[in-house]
Amino acid sequence: MPLGARILRIVDSYDAMTTNRAYQCAMSIEAALEDLAGYSGTYYDPWILKEFIQMMKEANFPQ
């Protein structure tokens, strides 16, 4: 799978988890990152996911 597609898969999943939808309330940032981590190596590239999680933790976005 191309690198861009692997990155987009993580970012799109994160966005879907942390945005209110008609069928589901948004998760907290921490919950979304934990959920993503649970699929590391299965659905998501482990190296890219590790970097994404680290970047999000360093960003300290407000809840």
Side-chain angles (χ1 to χ4, degrees), residues 4 23 32 41 48:
Y23 53 87
I48 297 171

Side-chain angles (χ1 to χ4, degrees), residues 5-24:
R6 289 182 280 156
I7 293 169
L8 186 58
R9 182 176 194 158
I10 293 169
V11 174
D12 183 56
S13 295
Y14 174 81
D15 180 62
M17 291 177 191
T18 59
T19 303
N20 282 323
R21 307 287 177 153
Y23 53 87
Q24 178 176 324

Side-chain angles (χ1 to χ4, degrees), residues 8-51:
L8 186 58
R9 182 176 194 158
I10 293 169
V11 174
D12 183 56
S13 295
Y14 174 81
D15 180 62
M17 291 177 191
T18 59
T19 303
N20 282 323
R21 307 287 177 153
Y23 53 87
Q24 178 176 324
C25 293
M27 289 181 169
S28 69
I29 291 171
E30 292 84 12
L33 295 177
E34 286 178 24
D35 197 44
L36 289 171
Y39 293 101
S40 178
T42 305
Y43 293 123
Y44 307 111
D45 181 296
W47 184 82
I48 297 171
L49 184 58
K50 179 183 173 191
E51 295 297 319

